[in-house]
């Protein structure tokens, strides 16, 4: 016989003890309780994934559990916050214990690896919809913002290659690639750049995480900071799989426009570049003239947020 809602919460989503001292009370009461240390601010984010919209029906539940949390931790990373707790709102069509076991394994493994506590949530019946709220702490006034880039700052990205996740999606949709494994892993289970976000908050002037592609995400920094930028396409890091894909298809916009890489894109003033203590690549410069331009093979063009298909 299927377990009850309370049995389900007890079995899959309640841990014996809280790890993080910030968390005073976890699952089991009407609310969780947190106590933010003096001199810190709480950073909060929530993301929802809907079956058929954000993931394929029948997707691997363990990967789904990990990705759901990873995309939220990526938002905390982009603010330079240290994640401390999460809540989980689960809407499921039925109680399927195999699915729950696998989903909670993927989710809770990542909870554990970042020393977080799952401190509450909600469980309801309906079309499969997964929401996570992630909470982090950051020293007062030190959170990385989108609105604080300055003319002359250099633009960096983390990671080995942009567009990997986008290529992973194309492979899931039938594109044949010889180097499929790494890009599929990036698509299914991206690694949030939490430690990088914490390190760069000392010296970065602005930051965003790459959920929609750098053309679109960097444009948020530019608009909110009232500046422009030029991106150097030839400097954008590319994996072998994405390079091969571009050679074959000439779809060189993929690394700029494809989503879900969950790398960090951040800016650093020239005098602070020597402080950089993470692996990253410089891909452009902030300029006073509004708009996003890019340089490729020696030619500079305007890359409108709406209009980049124009160049494809
Ligand atoms: P209420 O009806 O007061 O909202 P619930 O029955 O929804 O209480 O939840 C009981 C407890 O279990 C609460 O502490 C809630 O935060 C927690 N909880 C419910 N669903 C989940 C879940 N999917 N993951 C973690 N905690 C959960
Ligand atoms: Mg409830």
């Amino acid at each position: 016989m299927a377990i009850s809602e309370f049995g389900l919460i007890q079995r899959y989503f309640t841990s014996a003890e809280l790890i993080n001292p910030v968390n005073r009370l976890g699952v089991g009461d009407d609310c969780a309780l947190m106590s933010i240390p003096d001199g810190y601010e709480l950073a909060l984010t929530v993301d929802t994934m809907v079956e058929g919209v954000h993931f394929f029906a029948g997707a691997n539940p363990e990967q789904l559990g990990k990705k759901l949390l990873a995309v939220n931790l990526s938002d905390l990373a982009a603010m330079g916050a240290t994640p401390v707790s999460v809540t989980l709102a689960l809407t499921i069509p039925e109680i399927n214990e195999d699915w729950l076991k696998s989903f909670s394994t993927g989710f809770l493994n990542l909870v554990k690896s970042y020393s977080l506590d799952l401190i509450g949530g909600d469980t309801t019946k309906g079309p499969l919809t997964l929401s996570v709220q992630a909470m982090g702490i950051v020293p007062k006034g030190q959170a990385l913002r989108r609105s604080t880039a300055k003319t002359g700052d250099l633009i960096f990205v983390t990671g080995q290659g942009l567009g990997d996740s986008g290529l992973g999606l194309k492979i899931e949709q039938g594109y044949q690639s010889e180097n499929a494994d790494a890009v599929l892993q990036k698509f299914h289970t991206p690694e949030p750049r939490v430690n990088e976000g914490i390190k760069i908050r000392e010296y970065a002037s602005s930051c965003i995480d790459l959920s929609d592609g750098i053309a679109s995400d960097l444009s948020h920094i530019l608009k909110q900071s009232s500046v422009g930028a030029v991106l150097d396409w030839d400097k954008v890091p590319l994996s072998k799989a994405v390079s091969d894909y571009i050679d074959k298809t000439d779809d060189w916009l993929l690394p700029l426009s494809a989503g879900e890489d969950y790398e960090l894109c951040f800016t650093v003033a020239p005098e602070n570049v020597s402080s950089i203590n993470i692996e990253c690549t410089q891909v452009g410069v902030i300029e006073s003239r509004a708009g996003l331009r890019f340089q490729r093979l020696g030619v500079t063009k305007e890359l409108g947020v709406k209009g980049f298909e124009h160049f494809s």
Side-chain angles (χ1 to χ4, degrees):
M1 209 195 95
I3 54 168
S4 69
E5 176 191 330
F6 297 105
L8 176 165
I9 297 166
Q10 185 69 35
R11 183 171 300 174
Y12 297 106
F13 300 109
T14 307
S15 62
E17 56 191 22
L18 298 172
I19 303 174
N20 208 297
V22 167
N23 299 314
R24 311 302 299 172
L25 185 65
V27 172
D29 214 315
D30 291 309
C31 291
L33 294 172
M34 296 177 67
S35 172
I36 310 308
D38 281 351
Y40 283 81
E41 291 175 309
L42 182 67
L44 262 167
T45 177
V46 62
D47 268 297
T48 298
M49 287 169 51
V50 179
E51 184 179 59
V53 179
H54 302 96
F55 58 92
F56 299 119
N60 176 315
E62 188 172 338
Q63 291 179 338
L64 210 51
K66 181 174 180 195
K67 183 165 182 174
L68 175 68
L69 181 52
V71 305
N72 276 276
L73 296 185
S74 178
D75 283 325
L76 292 182
M79 300 291 286
T82 302
V84 289
S85 20
V86 290
T87 62
L88 171 66
L90 206 54
T91 302
I92 46 179
E94 60 184 344
I95 294 183
N96 173 340
E97 288 216 51
D98 289 337
W99 189 92
L100 281 165
K101 194 169 174 206
S102 171
F103 171 81
S104 64
T105 298
F107 187 83
L108 292 174
N109 280 345
L110 196 58
V111 164
K112 207 169 159 192
S113 68
Y114 283 98
S115 303
L116 316 179
D117 295 302
L118 173 60
I119 58 170
D122 197 26
T123 307
T124 52
K125 186 171 169 161
L128 187 59
T129 304
L130 313 165
S131 282
V132 162
Q133 179 187 43
M135 286 150 279
I137 56 172
V138 58
K140 243 177 204 150
Q142 281 192 33
L144 293 168
R145 307 281 296 269
R146 297 178 176 187
S147 54
T148 42
K150 297 274 182 301
T151 299
D153 289 354
L154 304 178
I155 304 166
F156 294 84
V157 292
T158 58
Q160 305 304 310
L162 299 188
D164 277 4
S165 193
L167 180 58
L169 173 61
K170 286 191 184 293
I171 291 169
E172 283 296 345
Q173 291 169 332
Y175 178 78
Q176 303 280 329
S177 166
E178 283 160 22
N179 305 291
D181 288 356
V183 294
L184 280 173
Q185 189 180 344
K186 182 94 184 179
F187 172 65
H188 288 299
T189 55
E191 207 51 61
R193 300 299 184 192
V194 169
N195 297 324
E196 288 83 351
I198 294 167
K199 283 185 177 162
I200 67 173
R201 77 175 177 222
E202 301 285 325
Y203 54 80
S205 56
S206 72
C207 187
I208 191 166
D209 70 317
L210 297 180
S211 52
D212 299 327
I214 192 169
S216 164
D217 292 319
L218 177 59
S219 293
H220 295 307
I221 289 187
L222 303 183
K223 281 224 176 77
Q224 294 185 30
S225 299
S226 306
V227 292
V230 57
L231 261 187
D232 191 341
W233 192 93
D234 302 294
K235 288 186 183 164
V236 171
L238 300 177
S239 64
K240 169 121 180 35
V242 167
S243 290
D244 289 351
Y245 165 82
I246 293 170
D247 288 345
K248 274 199 196 120
T249 62
D250 201 33
D251 180 13
W252 51 270
L253 270 172
L254 177 101
L256 307 188
S257 61
E260 299 206 305
D261 278 326
Y262 298 107
E263 297 295 344
L264 297 181
C265 174
F266 60 100
T267 58
V268 180
E271 64 270 23
N272 292 329
V273 165
S274 60
S275 302
I276 293 176
N277 52 358
I278 61 163
E279 245 183 81
C280 59
T281 309
Q282 195 223 323
V283 295
V285 184
I286 298 289
E287 298 181 336
S288 57
R289 183 155 74 92
L292 177 57
R293 293 160 287 284
F294 72 99
Q295 234 172 329
R296 183 168 181 257
L297 309 172
V299 182
T300 304
K301 285 182 183 173
E302 201 71 28
L303 185 66
V305 186
K306 268 183 269 159
F308 56 77
E309 59 271 44
H310 183 72
F311 293 102
S312 59

